[in-house]
Amino acid sequence: MKKEELYSGKAKTIYKTEDPAKLISEFRDSLTAFDGKKKSEAKNKGYFNAQISKKIFEMLEEEGIPTHYLGMESDTEMLVRAVEIIPIEVIPRNIAAGSITRKYPIKEGTVFKKPVIVLDYKSDEYGDPMMNEDIAVAMEIATYEEIEQIRSMALKINGILKKYFEDKEFLLPDFKLEFGRVDGKIVVADEISCDTCRFWDKSTGESMDKDIFRFDKGDLSKTYEEVAKRIVPEIFE
Ligand code: UDP
């Protein structure tokens, strides 16, 4: 059962439960982009993202990847393990899009011969600057061994998700992962949803993710519903 609020982020609110080892993560309809500078709400966004995230966490667990996912408390509330979040955004990239095309001379749509793993320091205040092993160790936010493990988990997850989404007629240019520590283990935390992945429709190449909101490309609720129909068709039965 949910108790007091622990933390409210841009799209989710985290609540304590009676068990200090467990938290409830509520997926809200609010959304932001550009380090919180652009804000809005989209009907059912929290519901679709919670259901998509649930499905992906369950699938990763089945594939032997440890995550913080424990179950669902309601349609929009996920029961998760309380973890110590490592403040690094881990971004596997398969096709160039977004910030990598702005920061480097790489054209949007360039297909990478091997996945590119980008590490960013998770901080709105500093504008999510690039992170590497030495900086993480100097800042004492992770050890070399942890970064190595995170990289190898991210590559494995990328392989699994790329295939999974391709089967659902999506290309997966990139997505963001967060990791946490619990009981001396590294687990996948946060969410994996339309807010944190780029999905391009395989036949039309159109964005079916938060880029709709970032660049005013259309109706976000409708787009997320379309994604949900392919990933979690059972919720529409
Ligand atoms: N991303 C995210 N949270 C962030 C930044 C990025 O979930 O704070 C995701 C984003 O949705 C995309 C991937 O990480 O799938 C790569 O984002 P990028 O670095 O290209 O940043 P953007 O183009 O959003 O500025």
Side-chain angles (χ1 to χ4, degrees):
M1 225 188 27
K2 141 170 135 177
K3 286 170 75 186
E4 84 212 66
E5 185 177 312
L6 183 66
Y7 166 81
S8 192
K10 286 176 273 189
K12 296 191 297 299
T13 303
I14 309 295
Y15 297 92
K16 289 185 183 174
T17 68
E18 273 132 31
D19 181 348
K22 295 175 183 168
L23 299 172
I24 288 173
S25 172
E26 182 194 13
F27 288 65
R28 304 195 320 265
D29 286 346
S30 51
L31 73 165
T32 69
F34 307 119
D35 295 336
K37 287 180 203 94
K38 182 169 174 167
K39 290 189 184 131
S40 190
E41 291 256 325
K43 193 164 175 278
N44 290 330
K45 185 203 80 127
Y47 172 54
F48 294 134
N49 274 349
Q51 296 299 318
I52 290 166
S53 231
K54 162 190 190 276
K55 185 77 166 244
I56 294 171
F57 281 141
E58 285 174 348
M59 196 249 303
L60 291 179
E61 289 279 350
E62 272 169 31
E63 296 277 351
I65 310 265
T67 77
H68 71 160
Y69 177 78
L70 291 172
M72 294 305 281
E73 283 285 304
S74 76
D75 281 353
T76 57
E77 294 169 315
M78 189 176 277
L79 187 67
V80 299
R81 302 172 78 181
V83 305
E84 187 191 348
I85 289 282
I86 298 168
I88 299 177
E89 297 191 339
V90 181
I91 304 172
R93 295 180 179 274
N94 299 302
I95 305 173
S99 65
I100 201 164
T101 66
R102 296 191 296 269
K103 292 184 188 165
Y104 307 94
I106 302 175
K107 283 206 176 64
E108 185 180 72
T110 305
V111 178
F112 296 122
K113 289 197 183 75
K114 69 185 203 49
V116 174
I117 304 285
V118 174
L119 306 180
D120 286 339
Y121 176 47
K122 187 178 157 68
S123 163
D124 283 348
E125 187 188 349
Y126 287 89
D128 295 349
M130 200 178 86
M131 176 54 75
N132 68 19
E133 287 79 344
D134 286 349
I135 302 171
V137 170
M139 287 176 65
E140 298 183 351
I141 55 176
T143 64
Y144 285 110
E145 293 72 25
E146 284 175 332
I147 302 274
E148 187 48 44
Q149 200 189 333
I150 285 171
R151 268 187 193 283
S152 94
M153 283 172 81
L155 276 173
K156 194 168 168 200
I157 294 165
N158 182 53
I160 295 168
L161 294 190
K162 204 171 151 231
K163 164 93 182 49
Y164 178 82
F165 287 114
E166 252 176 49
D167 289 346
K168 317 269 179 202
E169 300 297 313
F170 292 115
L171 294 175
L172 180 66
D174 56 44
F175 61 101
K176 188 256 308 180
L177 293 167
E178 290 185 28
F179 293 87
R181 295 181 194 96
V182 59
D183 300 335
K185 243 181 32 179
I186 302 275
V187 304
V188 182
D190 196 47
E191 68 182 296
I192 301 177
S193 71
C194 296
D195 277 7
T196 63
C197 299
R198 279 199 168 90
F199 297 129
W200 290 354
D201 182 80
K202 218 157 114 181
S203 55
T204 66
E206 270 174 35
S207 292
M208 298 188 72
D209 54 55
K210 208 165 93 174
D211 276 349
I212 296 277
F213 168 65
R214 291 189 187 97
F215 306 110
D216 301 311
K217 290 191 193 182
D219 184 330
L220 185 114
S221 296
K222 276 213 186 96
T223 305
Y224 282 27
E225 184 173 350
E226 285 309 310
V227 175
K229 278 184 182 155
R230 294 193 208 174
I231 310 291
V232 282
E234 59 275 15
I235 68 171
F236 296 90
E237 280 162 13

Coordinates of all heavy atoms in Angstrom, one line a residue, residues 60 63 65-66 89-95 112-119 133 146-164 172-179 186 188 192:
L60 N 12.5 -8.5 -20.1 CA 14.0 -8.5 -19.7 C 14.2 -9.5 -18.6 O 15.3 -10.2 -18.6 CB 14.4 -7.1 -19.3 CG 14.5 -6.1 -20.5 CD1 14.9 -4.7 -19.9 CD2 15.4 -6.5 -21.6
E63 N 14.6 -12.8 -19.8 CA 15.8 -13.0 -20.6 C 17.0 -13.0 -19.6 O 18.2 -13.0 -20.0 CB 16.0 -11.9 -21.6 CG 15.0 -11.8 -22.7 CD 15.3 -12.8 -23.8 OE1 16.4 -13.4 -23.9 OE2 14.4 -13.0 -24.7
I65 N 17.9 -10.6 -17.3 CA 18.4 -9.3 -17.0 C 17.7 -8.8 -15.7 O 16.5 -8.6 -15.7 CB 18.1 -8.2 -18.1 CG1 18.5 -8.8 -19.5 CG2 18.7 -6.8 -17.8 CD1 19.9 -8.4 -20.0
P66 N 18.4 -8.5 -14.6 CA 17.8 -8.1 -13.4 C 17.3 -6.6 -13.5 O 18.0 -5.8 -14.1 CB 18.9 -8.2 -12.3 CG 20.1 -8.2 -13.1 CD 19.9 -8.7 -14.5
E89 N 22.9 8.5 -17.5 CA 21.9 8.1 -18.5 C 22.7 7.2 -19.5 O 23.7 7.7 -20.1 CB 21.3 9.3 -19.2 CG 20.5 10.1 -18.2 CD 19.6 11.1 -18.8 OE1 19.9 11.5 -20.0 OE2 18.6 11.5 -18.2
V90 N 22.3 6.0 -19.7 CA 23.1 5.1 -20.6 C 22.2 5.0 -21.8 O 21.1 4.5 -21.8 CB 23.3 3.7 -19.9 CG1 24.0 2.8 -20.8 CG2 24.0 3.9 -18.5
I91 N 22.8 5.4 -22.9 CA 22.0 5.5 -24.2 C 22.6 4.6 -25.3 O 23.6 5.0 -25.9 CB 21.9 7.0 -24.7 CG1 21.3 7.8 -23.5 CG2 21.1 7.1 -25.9 CD1 21.3 9.3 -23.8
P92 N 22.1 3.4 -25.5 CA 22.5 2.7 -26.7 C 21.9 3.3 -27.9 O 20.7 3.6 -28.0 CB 21.9 1.3 -26.4 CG 21.5 1.3 -25.0 CD 21.1 2.7 -24.7
R93 N 22.7 3.4 -29.0 CA 22.3 4.0 -30.2 C 22.6 3.1 -31.4 O 23.7 2.6 -31.5 CB 23.0 5.4 -30.5 CG 22.7 6.4 -29.4 CD 23.5 7.7 -29.7 NE 23.2 8.8 -28.8 CZ 22.2 9.6 -28.9 NH1 21.3 9.6 -29.9 NH2 22.0 10.6 -27.9
N94 N 21.5 2.9 -32.2 CA 21.6 2.0 -33.4 C 21.6 2.9 -34.7 O 22.2 2.5 -35.7 CB 20.5 1.0 -33.4 CG 20.5 0.1 -32.2 OD1 21.5 -0.6 -31.9 ND2 19.5 0.1 -31.4
I95 N 20.8 3.9 -34.7 CA 20.7 4.8 -35.8 C 20.8 6.3 -35.2 O 20.2 6.6 -34.2 CB 19.3 4.7 -36.5 CG1 19.0 3.2 -36.9 CG2 19.2 5.6 -37.7 CD1 17.6 3.0 -37.4
F112 N 24.5 2.8 -37.5 CA 25.8 2.5 -36.9 C 26.1 1.0 -37.2 O 25.3 0.2 -37.0 CB 25.8 2.8 -35.4 CG 25.6 4.3 -35.1 CD1 24.6 4.7 -34.3 CD2 26.5 5.2 -35.7 CE1 24.4 6.1 -34.0 CE2 26.3 6.6 -35.4 CZ 25.3 7.0 -34.6
K113 N 27.4 0.8 -37.6 CA 27.8 -0.6 -37.9 C 27.7 -1.5 -36.6 O 27.4 -2.6 -36.6 CB 29.2 -0.7 -38.5 CG 29.2 -0.1 -39.9 CD 30.4 -0.5 -40.7 CE 30.4 0.1 -42.0 NZ 30.8 1.6 -42.0
K114 N 28.1 -0.8 -35.5 CA 27.9 -1.5 -34.2 C 27.3 -0.5 -33.2 O 27.5 0.7 -33.4 CB 29.2 -2.1 -33.6 CG 30.3 -1.1 -33.2 CD 31.5 -1.9 -32.8 CE 32.4 -1.2 -31.8 NZ 32.0 -0.6 -30.6
P115 N 26.5 -1.0 -32.3 CA 25.8 0.0 -31.4 C 26.8 0.9 -30.7 O 27.9 0.5 -30.3 CB 25.1 -0.9 -30.3 CG 25.2 -2.3 -30.9 CD 26.3 -2.3 -31.9
V116 N 26.4 2.2 -30.6 CA 27.2 3.2 -29.9 C 26.6 3.4 -28.5 O 25.4 3.7 -28.4 CB 27.1 4.6 -30.7 CG1 27.8 5.7 -29.9 CG2 27.7 4.4 -32.1
I117 N 27.4 3.2 -27.5 CA 26.9 3.5 -26.1 C 27.3 4.8 -25.6 O 28.5 5.1 -25.6 CB 27.4 2.4 -25.1 CG1 27.0 1.0 -25.6 CG2 26.8 2.7 -23.7 CD1 25.6 0.6 -25.4
V118 N 26.4 5.7 -25.4 CA 26.7 7.0 -24.9 C 26.3 7.1 -23.4 O 25.3 6.7 -23.0 CB 25.9 8.1 -25.7 CG1 26.1 9.5 -25.1 CG2 26.3 8.1 -27.1
L119 N 27.3 7.6 -22.6 CA 27.0 7.9 -21.2 C 26.9 9.4 -20.9 O 27.7 10.1 -21.3 CB 28.1 7.3 -20.3 CG 28.5 5.8 -20.5 CD1 29.7 5.5 -19.5 CD2 27.3 4.9 -20.3
E133 N 34.1 6.8 -17.9 CA 34.6 6.0 -16.8 C 35.3 6.9 -15.8 O 35.1 6.9 -14.6 CB 35.4 4.9 -17.2 CG 34.8 3.7 -17.9 CD 34.5 4.0 -19.3 OE1 34.5 5.2 -19.8 OE2 34.2 3.0 -20.0
E146 N 31.7 -1.3 -12.1 CA 30.3 -1.1 -12.3 C 30.0 -0.5 -13.7 O 29.1 -0.9 -14.4 CB 29.7 -0.1 -11.3 CG 29.5 -0.7 -9.9 CD 29.1 0.3 -8.8 OE1 29.5 1.5 -8.9 OE2 28.5 -0.1 -7.9
I147 N 30.8 0.4 -14.2 CA 30.6 1.0 -15.5 C 30.8 -0.1 -16.6 O 30.0 -0.2 -17.5 CB 31.6 2.1 -15.8 CG1 31.5 3.2 -14.8 CG2 31.4 2.7 -17.3 CD1 30.4 4.3 -15.1
E148 N 31.7 -1.0 -16.4 CA 32.0 -2.1 -17.3 C 30.7 -3.0 -17.4 O 30.2 -3.4 -18.4 CB 33.2 -2.9 -16.8 CG 33.7 -4.0 -17.8 CD 33.8 -3.5 -19.2 OE1 34.3 -2.4 -19.4 OE2 33.3 -4.2 -20.1
Q149 N 30.2 -3.3 -16.2 CA 29.0 -4.1 -16.1 C 27.8 -3.4 -16.7 O 27.0 -4.1 -17.5 CB 28.7 -4.4 -14.6 CG 27.9 -5.7 -14.5 CD 27.4 -5.8 -13.0 OE1 28.0 -5.4 -12.1 NE2 26.2 -6.5 -12.9
I150 N 27.6 -2.1 -16.5 CA 26.5 -1.4 -17.1 C 26.6 -1.4 -18.6 O 25.6 -1.6 -19.3 CB 26.6 0.1 -16.5 CG1 26.0 0.0 -15.0 CG2 25.8 1.0 -17.3 CD1 26.2 1.3 -14.3
R151 N 27.8 -1.2 -19.1 CA 28.0 -1.2 -20.6 C 27.6 -2.6 -21.1 O 26.9 -2.6 -22.2 CB 29.5 -1.0 -20.9 CG 29.8 0.4 -21.2 CD 31.3 0.5 -21.7 NE 31.8 1.8 -21.6 CZ 31.5 2.7 -22.5 NH1 30.7 2.4 -23.6 NH2 31.9 4.0 -22.4
S152 N 28.0 -3.6 -20.5 CA 27.7 -4.9 -21.1 C 26.3 -5.2 -20.9 O 25.7 -5.8 -21.9 CB 28.7 -6.0 -20.6 OG 28.1 -6.7 -19.5
M153 N 25.6 -4.8 -19.8 CA 24.2 -5.0 -19.7 C 23.4 -4.2 -20.8 O 22.5 -4.7 -21.4 CB 23.7 -4.6 -18.3 CG 24.0 -5.6 -17.2 SD 23.6 -5.0 -15.6 CE 21.8 -5.3 -15.5
A154 N 23.9 -3.0 -21.0 CA 23.2 -2.1 -22.0 C 23.3 -2.7 -23.4 O 22.3 -2.7 -24.1 CB 23.8 -0.7 -21.9
L155 N 24.4 -3.3 -23.7 CA 24.6 -3.9 -25.0 C 23.7 -5.1 -25.2 O 23.0 -5.3 -26.2 CB 26.0 -4.3 -25.3 CG 27.0 -3.3 -25.8 CD1 28.4 -3.8 -25.8 CD2 26.6 -2.8 -27.2
K156 N 23.6 -5.9 -24.1 CA 22.7 -7.1 -24.2 C 21.3 -6.7 -24.3 O 20.5 -7.2 -25.1 CB 23.0 -7.9 -22.9 CG 22.4 -9.3 -23.0 CD 22.9 -10.1 -21.8 CE 22.0 -11.4 -21.8 NZ 22.1 -12.1 -20.5
I157 N 20.9 -5.7 -23.5 CA 19.5 -5.2 -23.6 C 19.2 -4.6 -24.9 O 18.1 -4.8 -25.5 CB 19.2 -4.1 -22.5 CG1 19.4 -4.7 -21.1 CG2 17.9 -3.4 -22.6 CD1 19.5 -3.7 -19.9
N158 N 20.1 -3.9 -25.5 CA 19.9 -3.3 -26.8 C 19.7 -4.4 -27.9 O 18.7 -4.3 -28.7 CB 21.2 -2.5 -27.3 CG 21.0 -1.9 -28.6 OD1 20.0 -1.2 -28.8 ND2 21.9 -2.1 -29.5
G159 N 20.4 -5.5 -27.8 CA 20.2 -6.6 -28.7 C 18.8 -7.2 -28.6 O 18.1 -7.4 -29.6
I160 N 18.4 -7.4 -27.3 CA 17.1 -7.9 -27.1 C 16.0 -7.0 -27.6 O 15.0 -7.4 -28.3 CB 16.9 -8.2 -25.5 CG1 17.9 -9.3 -25.0 CG2 15.4 -8.6 -25.2 CD1 18.0 -9.4 -23.5
L161 N 16.1 -5.7 -27.2 CA 15.0 -4.8 -27.6 C 14.9 -4.5 -29.1 O 13.8 -4.3 -29.6 CB 15.2 -3.5 -26.8 CG 15.0 -3.5 -25.3 CD1 14.9 -2.1 -24.6 CD2 13.7 -4.3 -24.9
K162 N 16.1 -4.4 -29.7 CA 16.1 -4.1 -31.1 C 15.3 -5.2 -31.9 O 14.5 -4.9 -32.7 CB 17.6 -4.1 -31.6 CG 17.8 -3.3 -32.8 CD 19.3 -3.2 -33.1 CE 19.5 -3.1 -34.6 NZ 20.4 -4.0 -35.2
K163 N 15.6 -6.4 -31.5 CA 14.9 -7.6 -32.2 C 13.4 -7.5 -31.8 O 12.5 -7.7 -32.6 CB 15.5 -8.9 -31.7 CG 14.8 -10.1 -31.9 CD 15.2 -10.8 -33.2 CE 14.5 -12.0 -33.6 NZ 13.1 -12.1 -33.5
Y164 N 13.1 -7.3 -30.5 CA 11.7 -7.3 -30.0 C 10.9 -6.2 -30.7 O 9.8 -6.5 -31.2 CB 11.7 -7.0 -28.5 CG 10.4 -6.9 -27.9 CD1 9.7 -8.0 -27.5 CD2 9.8 -5.7 -27.6 CE1 8.4 -8.0 -26.9 CE2 8.6 -5.6 -27.0 CZ 7.9 -6.7 -26.7 OH 6.6 -6.6 -26.1
L172 N 14.4 0.9 -33.7 CA 14.8 1.5 -32.4 C 16.1 2.3 -32.6 O 17.2 1.7 -32.3 CB 15.0 0.3 -31.4 CG 15.4 0.6 -30.0 CD1 14.2 1.4 -29.3 CD2 15.7 -0.7 -29.2
P173 N 16.0 3.5 -33.0 CA 17.3 4.3 -33.2 C 18.1 4.4 -31.9 O 19.3 4.3 -31.9 CB 16.8 5.7 -33.6 CG 15.4 5.4 -34.2 CD 14.8 4.3 -33.4
D174 N 17.4 4.7 -30.8 CA 18.1 4.8 -29.5 C 17.1 4.7 -28.3 O 15.9 4.8 -28.5 CB 18.9 6.2 -29.4 CG 18.0 7.4 -29.6 OD1 16.9 7.4 -29.0 OD2 18.4 8.3 -30.4
F175 N 17.7 4.6 -27.1 CA 16.8 4.6 -25.9 C 17.7 4.8 -24.7 O 18.9 4.7 -24.8 CB 16.0 3.3 -25.8 CG 16.9 2.1 -25.6 CD1 17.1 1.5 -24.4 CD2 17.4 1.4 -26.7 CE1 17.8 0.3 -24.2 CE2 18.2 0.3 -26.6 CZ 18.4 -0.3 -25.4
K176 N 17.1 5.2 -23.6 CA 17.8 5.6 -22.4 C 17.6 4.6 -21.3 O 16.4 4.2 -21.1 CB 17.4 7.0 -22.0 CG 18.2 7.6 -20.9 CD 17.6 7.6 -19.5 CE 16.2 8.2 -19.5 NZ 15.7 8.2 -18.1
L177 N 18.7 4.2 -20.7 CA 18.5 3.3 -19.5 C 19.1 3.9 -18.3 O 20.0 4.7 -18.4 CB 19.3 2.0 -19.8 CG 18.9 1.0 -20.9 CD1 20.0 0.0 -21.2 CD2 17.6 0.4 -20.5
E178 N 18.5 3.6 -17.1 CA 19.1 4.0 -15.9 C 19.3 2.7 -15.1 O 18.5 1.8 -15.2 CB 18.2 5.0 -15.1 CG 18.2 6.3 -15.8 CD 17.4 7.4 -15.0 OE1 17.3 7.3 -13.8 OE2 16.9 8.3 -15.7
F179 N 20.4 2.7 -14.3 CA 20.7 1.6 -13.4 C 20.8 2.0 -12.0 O 21.0 3.1 -11.6 CB 22.1 1.0 -13.9 CG 22.0 0.4 -15.3 CD1 22.3 1.2 -16.4 CD2 21.8 -1.0 -15.4 CE1 22.2 0.6 -17.7 CE2 21.7 -1.5 -16.7 CZ 22.0 -0.7 -17.8
I186 N 23.8 -4.7 -9.7 CA 23.3 -3.7 -10.5 C 22.0 -4.1 -11.2 O 22.0 -5.2 -11.8 CB 24.4 -3.3 -11.6 CG1 25.7 -2.9 -11.0 CG2 23.9 -2.3 -12.6 CD1 25.8 -1.5 -10.6
V188 N 18.4 -2.8 -13.7 CA 17.8 -1.8 -14.6 C 16.7 -1.1 -13.8 O 15.9 -1.8 -13.1 CB 17.2 -2.4 -15.9 CG1 16.7 -1.3 -16.7 CG2 18.3 -3.2 -16.6
I192 N 11.1 2.0 -19.3 CA 11.5 1.9 -20.7 C 10.2 2.0 -21.4 O 9.3 1.2 -21.4 CB 12.2 0.5 -21.0 CG1 13.4 0.3 -20.1 CG2 12.5 0.4 -22.5 CD1 14.1 -1.0 -20.3

